[in-house]
Amino acid sequence: MSDPLNSPIVRHSPSNGAGSPDVWGIYEPDTGSIQYICADPATKKAALIDVVWNFDPKNYKFTTESMDQVLDLVKEHGLSVEWVLDTHPHADHVMASAHLKERTGAPNAIGALVPEIAKIWADLYNLPEAFDPDRDFDHLFEEGETFKIGELEAKVMLSPGHTLGSITYVCGDAAFVHDTLMQPDAGTSRSDFPGGKTAELWDSIQDILALPGDTRLYIGHDYGTEDRKEPTWEATVDEHKANNIHVKDGTKREDYIERRQKRDATLSLPNRILAALQINLRGGRLPPAEDDGNHYLKLPVNRFD
């Protein structure tokens, strides 16, 4: 029998009626990432959210099985891609944004504060001219901005903490909350990357938990737990408020900050981060080819504890 945590899994969360999207979650086992399709049932227009460009950090080789799987689902369900969206420049996987834009013709977008993230990492890589999100994304969403997925209205919430420019997409009764919350039995995400702040993560989570209680929250990652050996990624606001081990009702802000920072101090860098960030801050593009026709990445040495 295959291990669910090591298998690509697809689950459909159907629309709950008028104003509610169909959501497909597609689990990517190598990084524990969840990729999403958010679709309007009436028009079959869809947004693709946080889709992975597969990267093998041992051999520095890229493949496309995850984005192929997502696009196969789009075709299977008769959908038309209207947006290619990311919630932030991911540290643990490489984004498929540029490839999906090329393959679907849909515009790609991310949050308006990503240029500030790019400045931090341009310094860490000593690549002052490398990153230009205005060039590499078609749209940078501002806090509170609204847009359409078919006939459904979607809204952008700034939700920093994991990064300084992370955003949440809220579409009807579905919210794509990225690396803020984990599942209730796993708590919340880390806040120790450059530009991240634990206090801001707490505040962002409180804003998310202020959404209506039946809002379906879709997280960015799941790794299972000691007691749960199958990935999950959907829970309601009410379920998090009742059961989330880090932020359930009654949790004090200062206690959360202390607990999160103590945990983060034990974590090492993700094994893809130093490759992923210099690609993701280019919208999922490799650096320009050099005179031999090949692409090369730059790795900072002794810049991180």
Side-chain angles (χ1 to χ4, degrees), residues 135-183:
R135 172 196 66 204
D136 292 326
F137 293 93
D138 294 305
H139 192 75
L140 301 179
F141 282 115
E142 299 282 353
E143 154 73 10
E145 188 172 349
T146 60
F147 62 102
K148 292 284 192 178
I149 302 172
E151 296 174 354
L152 300 178
E153 183 172 281
K155 181 179 179 179
V156 172
M157 294 173 59
L158 179 63
S159 46
H162 179 69
T163 77
L164 66 84
S166 301
I167 57 174
T168 289
Y169 298 105
V170 183
C171 182
D173 66 345
F176 301 89
V177 303
H178 58 91
D179 297 2
T180 51
L181 294 159
M182 304 288 279
Q183 282 296 82

Side-chain angles (χ1 to χ4, degrees), residues 206-217:
Q206 298 313 303
D207 289 342
I208 290 167
L209 295 180
L211 293 168
D214 62 352
T215 303
R216 298 172 286 169
L217 303 184

Side-chain angles (χ1 to χ4, degrees), residues 21 36 38 46 63 67 88 92 134 180 196 208 218-219 234-235 274:
Y36 294 104
C38 177
T63 54
M67 72 177 87
H88 64 290
D92 38 23
D134 289 298
T180 51
I208 290 167
Y218 295 100
I219 61 172
E234 176 184 345
L274 297 179

Side-chain angles (χ1 to χ4, degrees), residues 225-240:
T225 66
E226 289 185 2
D227 300 319
R228 174 172 56 79
K229 304 305 179 184
E230 183 172 351
T232 63
W233 49 81
E234 176 184 345
T236 65
V237 165
D238 281 344
E239 288 169 333
H240 277 280

